[in-house]
């Protein structure tokens, strides 16, 4: 280990993001980015911030954004927390709520960053198996624990848990925080924000990166009762008072205000997803029913790693995970209609020889 590092640093296992290579004409279906540009109103709002005002620190509370989110979701401004991407919001939530004497629960197949935060903050985790259909089974989350984190829709399966089943998990753990990461919820699942009033232990986290096409802006948020938000604010103000700059705040507010654009783009991604799912099934892929902006698929005769490599050689990137539960699957982000048509054509050529 490097002699300059704190002892803790040598024990970390950092998250490895999907690659962002510079290949000409690349079709990039590996990191679940939105294939469409952000709303033109976002670009205008960001551009308007690029001036003398940047001398000054931004509002440390991001009040304009909390206000916009609170009216959009029908909650109080004191029930909203914002951060530099939902990754930062999740990290603060792990720090604020999950450093407990008992391990937290998470699904065996889930967003792999959760385990990275556990190492970072010294949190123990128990991995809870999915059922035979790769679904989260709420009954397996009834045991004593230090907290629960699930993604809904789950990543990378894309499967959504109905709201009643999320509520069963929340109800089974009244003394622990249940964190529901809804990064993909806008593509077809039901948000648990409507349950926040009833459950003091529920924290819902969302992001502008996927459905609002703003992965490059870095804005995420959490909604929960004020006592949970206060816990997050305490961690945030012990770490970085200004996680969002003026540009981020203005861009995110404009994104929330352009509801029409949001609805059109989201419907487009869902329509393309369903079309691609049909094409892949015709190529004999098993396609899990997705409520997200990606498909999780496998083929009975072709190894996922081989398909990913063959696609890569034709300048199409998809994601393959090496962990044993899911190594037979590929995760394919939904692109434009043209990108998905090209993917389907290339896969047909590979599979039909
Ligand atoms: C993409 C993603 C995030 C992180 O989103 P950012 O807001 O860009 O940090 C969090 N959780 C899940 C499940 C994701 O897929």
């Amino acid at each position: 280990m490097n002699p300059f590092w704190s002892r803790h640093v040598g024990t970390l296992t950092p998250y490895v993001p999907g690659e962002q290579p510079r290949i000409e004409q690349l079709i990039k279906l590996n990191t679940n980015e939105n294939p469409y540009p952000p709303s033109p109103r976002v670009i205008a709002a960001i551009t308007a911030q690029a001036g003398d005002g940047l001398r000054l620190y931004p509002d440390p509370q991001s009040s304009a954004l909390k206000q916009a989110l609170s009216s959009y979701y029908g909650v109080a401004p004191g029930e909203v927390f914002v951060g530099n991407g939902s990754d930062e919001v999740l990290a603060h939530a792990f720090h604020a709520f999950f450093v407990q004497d008992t391990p937290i629960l998470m699904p065996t197949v889930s967003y792999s960053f959760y385990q990275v935060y556990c190492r970072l903050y010294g949190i123990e985790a128990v991995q809870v198996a999915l059922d035979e259909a790769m679904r989260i089974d709420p009954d397996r989350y009834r045991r004593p624990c230090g907290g629960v984190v699930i993604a809904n829709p789950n990543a990378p399966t894309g499967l959504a848990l109905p709201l009643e089943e999320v509520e069963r998990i929340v109800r089974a753990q009244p003394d622990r925080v249940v964190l529901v990461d809804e990064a993909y919820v806008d593509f077809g699942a039901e948000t648990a924000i409507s349950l926040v009033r009833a459950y003091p232990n529920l924290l819902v986290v969302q992001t502008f990166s996927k459905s609002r096409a703003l992965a490059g802006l870095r804005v995420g948020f959490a909604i929960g009762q004020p006592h949970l938000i206060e816990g997050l604010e305490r961690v945030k103000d012990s770490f970085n008072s200004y996680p969002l700059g003026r540009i981020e705040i203005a861009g995110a507010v404009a994104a929330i205000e352009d509801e029409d654009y949001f609805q059109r783009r989201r419907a487009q991604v869902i329509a393309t997803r369903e079309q691609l799912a049909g094409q892949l099934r015709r190529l004999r892929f098993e396609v899990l029913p997705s409520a997200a902006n990606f498909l999780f698929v496998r083929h009975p005769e072709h190894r996922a790693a081989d398909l990913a490599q063959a696609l890569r050689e034709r300048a199409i990137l998809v994601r393959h995970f090496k962990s044993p539960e899911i190594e037979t699957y590929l995760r394919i982000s939904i692109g434009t209609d043209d990108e998905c048509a090209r993917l389907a054509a290339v896969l047909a050529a590979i599979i039909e020889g």
Side-chain angles (χ1 to χ4, degrees), residues 246-321:
R246 291 171 175 274
I247 286 171
E248 288 73 20
I249 296 168
V253 169
I256 291 290
E257 287 173 349
D258 200 347
E259 177 66 6
D260 182 59
Y261 185 89
F262 168 71
Q263 293 297 351
R264 274 191 295 124
R265 292 309 200 190
R266 151 174 110 131
Q268 177 70 65
V269 169
I270 292 170
T272 306
R273 176 187 76 206
E274 294 312 306
Q275 190 177 342
L276 179 62
Q279 288 169 316
L280 295 182
R281 287 192 181 106
R282 284 194 286 283
L283 293 173
R284 285 177 295 113
F285 277 93
E286 176 191 337
V287 181
L288 296 191
S290 172
N293 67 340
F294 55 83
L295 292 173
F296 204 50
V297 308
R298 63 177 170 182
H299 198 276
E301 286 127 40
H302 292 266
R303 290 181 52 222
D306 295 345
L307 287 175
Q309 183 54 33
L311 287 169
R312 196 189 166 84
E313 284 159 13
R314 293 157 180 84
I316 301 177
L317 287 191
V318 299
R319 190 102 192 246
H320 175 244
F321 297 91

Side-chain angles (χ1 to χ4, degrees), residues 2-291:
N2 186 295
F4 294 107
W5 292 357
S6 314
R7 203 180 320 142
H8 184 46
V9 171
T11 72
L12 300 178
T13 317
Y15 179 73
V16 184
E19 56 179 333
Q20 301 282 2
R22 292 166 206 276
I23 301 175
E24 300 255 328
Q25 306 280 317
L26 181 70
I27 297 184
K28 198 172 169 304
L29 306 176
N30 67 327
T31 51
N32 298 342
E33 286 141 329
N34 199 304
Y36 302 108
S39 153
R41 285 170 63 175
V42 170
I43 308 303
I46 286 174
T47 309
Q49 288 297 317
D52 177 63
L54 291 179
R55 281 187 307 110
L56 304 172
Y57 280 107
D59 170 13
Q61 300 306 326
S62 303
S63 309
L65 179 54
K66 286 180 179 170
Q67 189 62 56
L69 287 165
S70 79
S71 34
Y72 189 79
Y73 288 106
V75 299
E79 294 176 315
V80 183
F81 178 80
V82 298
N84 187 259
S86 62
D87 284 340
E88 185 185 78
V89 176
L90 291 166
H92 287 342
F94 274 62
H95 205 173
F97 309 123
F98 289 165
V99 183
Q100 303 285 353
D101 297 332
T102 35
I104 66 164
L105 306 179
M106 67 175 77
T108 41
V109 175
S110 197
Y111 185 38
S112 55
F113 224 139
Y114 304 150
Q115 292 187 61
V116 176
Y117 302 135
C118 286
R119 282 256 165 76
L120 178 61
Y121 297 120
I123 298 164
E124 265 194 88
V126 169
Q127 315 268 323
V128 180
L130 301 176
D131 71 13
E132 325 71 58
M134 304 283 279
R135 288 161 23 101
I136 291 170
D137 175 358
D139 290 333
R140 298 181 189 184
Y141 293 80
R142 314 189 69 85
R143 49 207 268 191
C145 66
V148 175
V149 57
I150 59 167
N152 191 40
N154 197 11
T157 64
L159 297 174
L161 204 57
L163 190 58
E164 313 83 69
E165 300 198 13
V166 174
E167 186 171 11
R168 270 169 61 205
I169 298 176
V170 176
R171 218 184 305 126
Q173 298 291 346
D175 302 323
R176 297 300 188 189
V177 170
V178 175
L179 199 174
V180 184
D181 178 356
E182 297 187 338
Y184 301 104
V185 74
D186 294 327
F187 298 108
E190 209 177 340
T191 177
I193 290 174
S194 60
L195 302 177
V196 158
R197 275 291 147 79
Y199 295 100
N201 61 324
L202 170 62
L203 190 74
V204 178
V205 173
Q206 291 193 15
T207 177
F208 284 71
S209 296
K210 315 285 170 41
S211 59
R212 295 184 187 273
L214 288 172
L217 198 64
R218 312 306 303 134
V219 183
F221 59 96
I223 294 185
Q225 291 190 6
H227 64 110
L228 295 186
I229 301 305
E230 191 189 336
L232 291 170
E233 299 285 0
R234 288 172 71 93
V235 172
K236 172 236 170 201
D237 287 322
S238 305
F239 181 83
N240 177 4
S241 305
Y242 305 105
L244 297 190
R246 291 171 175 274
I247 286 171
E248 288 73 20
I249 296 168
V253 169
I256 291 290
E257 287 173 349
D258 200 347
E259 177 66 6
D260 182 59
Y261 185 89
F262 168 71
Q263 293 297 351
R264 274 191 295 124
R265 292 309 200 190
R266 151 174 110 131
Q268 177 70 65
V269 169
I270 292 170
T272 306
R273 176 187 76 206
E274 294 312 306
Q275 190 177 342
L276 179 62
Q279 288 169 316
L280 295 182
R281 287 192 181 106
R282 284 194 286 283
L283 293 173
R284 285 177 295 113
F285 277 93
E286 176 191 337
V287 181
L288 296 191
S290 172

